[in-house]
Amino acid sequence: MVTRAESAAVTRRALLDAAAELLDLGGPEAVTLREVGARAGVTRGAPYRHFAGKDSLLTAVVTEGWERIGDQVHALRTDPALSASEKLRGALRALIGVGRDQPHLYQMLFRRPGHRPEELGEGLDRVRRQLCGPAGDPAADRVRAAGRFQDEFLAIVATLVGERNTRHYGALLLSGAHGIADMELSGHLGTDRLRSTTDELVDTLVRMVGDAGETT
């Protein structure tokens, strides 16, 4: 017999999957609790029993995005068969891959709070959470998931450049990966003028940081 908790977990999973699919198809504007519920095949009121509002739902989707990337980077970091450079190259490619395959999710991973249309109702969502929302703070979960990714990533960087220079080169690498993802998405890479590929640029970044680590 399925318990109430198990049924609720299945419903929540279906809602998150439906929201992620709608986000991939049409961006944040395509995600509404009504459309998510319909796509998940649940009752009209079900989404509101699991999420305080649209922002809470999207935040949960973004949190899972960070968790997946964090899992990938953790697997790379702990793989004894890979060199430090290979681990870093894989981590950068994992991040850029999200930008390539799920551009709407990627943009939300790096959004500034309060600067997206889907966040305009954030204040109302907060009130709803306090009155009737589920336990936990979705925004805090998102911060923790993103922080875990950064910790895993910086641990890889540290093996190349040392602890003292980790944050500096970590920021440089993430900025570079973010720029590569944007350039690839906009179609500017591989043109007659630039004639560069994502893999070539990632290899260059890793080599430059590796060389810097040897001299510090």
Side-chain angles (χ1 to χ4, degrees), residues 148-208:
R148 176 182 171 243
F149 157 76
Q150 290 185 4
D151 289 344
E152 293 285 355
F153 181 78
L154 291 176
I156 292 176
V157 176
T159 61
L160 281 173
V161 302
E163 292 291 341
R164 184 168 63 90
N165 298 305
T166 294
R167 294 188 182 277
H168 174 76
Y169 283 105
L172 178 65
L173 285 162
L174 290 177
S175 297
H178 193 42
I180 292 170
D182 281 346
M183 290 286 283
E184 183 183 76
L185 188 61
S186 64
H188 286 94
L189 293 183
T191 62
D192 289 339
R193 287 184 179 276
L194 295 181
R195 296 181 181 178
S196 297
T197 68
T198 296
D199 285 343
E200 288 171 347
L201 293 176
V202 168
D203 288 343
T204 300
L205 275 177
V206 173
R207 185 168 60 251
M208 289 172 61

Side-chain angles (χ1 to χ4, degrees), residues 19 32 48 55 67 106 111 136 163 204:
T32 66
Y48 298 92
D55 183 65
E67 288 173 345
Y106 183 83
R111 71 183 180 181
E163 292 291 341
T204 300

Side-chain angles (χ1 to χ4, degrees), residues 2 13 38 44 47-48 87 108 127 135 137 139 141 148 160 186 209:
V2 178
R13 179 73 266 153
R44 182 172 295 185
Y48 298 92
K87 293 176 182 181
M108 293 193 66
V127 173
D137 184 348
D141 291 340
R148 176 182 171 243
L160 281 173
S186 64
V209 170

Side-chain angles (χ1 to χ4, degrees), residues 12 21 29 41 43 45 54 73-74 86 102-103 123 129 139 141 150 152 157 166 168 180 190 196 214-215:
R12 179 181 171 85
E21 291 170 0
E29 295 78 10
T43 62
K54 175 176 176 175
V73 178
H74 174 77
E86 289 171 331
Q102 296 178 282
R129 282 199 298 271
D141 291 340
Q150 290 185 4
E152 293 285 355
V157 176
T166 294
H168 174 76
I180 292 170
S196 297
E214 293 175 359
T215 61

